[in-house]
Amino acid sequence: MISVVVPTLGRPSLASLLDALAGQLGELPGAELLLVDDRRDETGELAVPGTLAAYTKVLTGRGAGPAAARNLGWRAARGEWVVFLDDDVEPGADWSRRLLEDLAVGAGVGGVQGRVTVPLPADRRPTDWERGTAGLADGRWITADMAYRRAALVAAGGFDERFPRAYREDAELAHRVRCAGWRLVRGHRRVTHPVRPEGRWVSLRTQRGNADDALLRRLYGPNWRRDLDLPPGRRRRHAAVATAGAVASVAAVLRALDRPGGRRRALGVVATAAGLGWAAGTAEFAGARIVPGPRTPDEVTTMAVTSALIPPLATLHWVRGWWRARSLPAGAVVRADLPGAGC
């Protein structure tokens, strides 16, 4: 028996996902579809195609994020395999058939990841947001399409609900599944992940994920990125640029308030040096985001403004996450229902 779990916020993309599944679930043995309605506001029932009604059960989530919603889904599931899909992907026409082929694996395999395709514009270079979404195609063990044995989920204790966003919670679970002795492999089924429309300041909002990175650093130590198969980040560069900007600002203010003399000259030197460091770091970051993009006036302006704001914002979110996690023992998860961490 195979269970498909889809946590959803009721986005319009859910209809495309359900339409794609409507003609395929019958190909899966003992299939069931569990929709976890994680909307915080009551806006009516989720629309489920009639052809899926016999397979579908709608569960009401707590609005606590995808980790909690997926836990609710898989714990209510009956299948030996639980397939997690995001509500903004579109399974291919042969998705069910290839899923069955993917799940024909040895007993030691606890999870099989699907392949994600992100369509990008053909007539121009992708924007910063589009390139970020395209990174999902190379992501490891992401729950856009990830199948786990129920036994592996039980052994690992499920998703850690301290991760409230769709960010890092899937990689963290995959680490604990492997620590519990299971292997993870890539399959051949495919889903398409269209780029979701977003406002021009979306990159500022996504910096909240730095708080989750701080939690991972506390739980798994300095090598957390390597251990969890995550790409390198820019946190140290962001911290350096933010620090340079803060030092330049403070030195400039103190210089303006001080009387003429040696100290004022010294403060001027500090302000100038720190300001140059901030400007160089900000320019490098902006250039790294502008050059591969479409370079339209709107995109260049957005990249320039957000490249100045992201380093201090990312650092503040990191500090916030570190402060919340400071009481946890370093290198160990303290909840009994999350075995396998720190291996």
Side-chain angles (χ1 to χ4, degrees):
M1 185 173 184
I2 296 175
S3 302
V4 179
V5 173
V6 180
T8 182
L9 295 174
R11 289 187 286 221
S13 57
L14 176 64
S16 298
L17 168 63
L18 296 180
D19 286 342
L21 290 177
Q24 299 192 51
L25 282 191
E27 302 175 16
L28 302 178
E32 64 174 355
L33 172 63
L34 296 103
L35 292 179
V36 183
D37 185 352
D38 210 38
R39 296 174 295 178
R40 294 186 178 182
D41 56 334
E42 296 182 6
T43 54
E45 296 183 359
L46 294 173
V48 178
T51 51
L52 281 179
Y55 301 99
T56 305
K57 181 177 181 180
V58 178
L59 306 174
T60 301
R62 298 182 285 113
R70 292 191 194 104
N71 279 342
L72 178 64
W74 78 261
R75 286 170 180 154
R78 296 174 294 165
E80 175 191 356
W81 283 95
V82 179
V83 186
F84 295 103
L85 291 174
D86 285 348
D87 70 351
D88 53 359
V89 301
E90 299 173 6
D94 59 352
W95 181 82
S96 289
R97 178 177 61 81
R98 288 187 175 273
L99 173 65
L100 290 175
E101 295 172 356
D102 285 349
L103 301 187
V105 291
V109 175
V112 185
Q113 180 182 339
R115 297 180 183 270
V116 179
T117 299
V118 179
L120 294 175
D123 57 345
R124 59 168 173 81
R125 295 180 177 185
T127 64
D128 181 68
W129 171 244
E130 290 167 341
R131 295 194 307 276
T133 304
L136 293 172
D138 299 318
R140 295 177 64 82
W141 325 128
I142 59 175
T143 44
D145 183 357
M146 184 71 193
Y148 278 110
R149 288 190 192 271
R150 180 181 179 84
L153 292 170
V154 171
F159 292 88
D160 188 337
E161 297 181 13
R162 290 173 295 185
F163 293 89
R165 283 163 285 273
Y167 185 77
R168 306 299 197 211
E169 83 294 348
D170 43 12
E172 196 276 337
L173 170 64
H175 178 66
R176 283 186 286 108
V177 168
R178 286 175 292 166
C179 286
W182 299 91
R183 290 192 298 115
L184 303 180
V185 299
R186 283 183 178 269
H188 297 283
R189 67 191 186 279
R190 285 192 175 273
V191 298
T192 299
H193 192 303
V195 178
R196 185 173 66 248
E198 282 288 356
R200 65 190 302 181
W201 311 117
V202 61
S203 60
L204 300 180
R205 190 175 72 247
T206 59
Q207 298 310 309
R208 293 178 295 183
N210 283 278
D212 301 328
D213 284 350
L215 175 57
L216 286 175
R217 172 63 174 80
R218 183 65 177 175
L219 296 178
Y220 295 108
N223 296 320
W224 63 275
R225 284 187 179 273
R226 182 199 65 193
D227 293 345
L228 273 67
D229 281 341
L230 295 171
R234 296 183 66 104
R235 182 181 67 84
R236 291 182 179 177
R237 277 183 282 184
H238 284 337
V241 171
T243 300
V247 169
S249 299
V250 171
V253 170
L254 292 177
R255 181 179 182 276
L257 296 175
D258 204 6
R259 292 175 297 179
R263 184 183 175 197
R264 191 176 187 188
R265 286 193 295 271
L267 288 170
V269 171
V270 171
T272 300
L276 289 173
W278 172 86
T282 300
E284 181 275 329
F285 184 37
R289 302 170 73 206
I290 291 171
V291 168
R295 306 181 198 173
T296 60
D298 278 352
E299 178 76 358
V300 171
T301 300
T302 301
M303 294 300 98
V305 173
T306 55
S307 294
L309 296 176
I310 284 175
L313 189 59
T315 303
L316 286 173
H317 281 301
W318 172 276
V319 171
R320 177 172 61 85
W322 169 83
W323 181 258
R324 289 182 177 179
R326 71 190 186 285
S327 61
L328 296 177
V333 175
V334 296
R335 283 171 45 181
D337 63 333
L338 295 178
C343 66

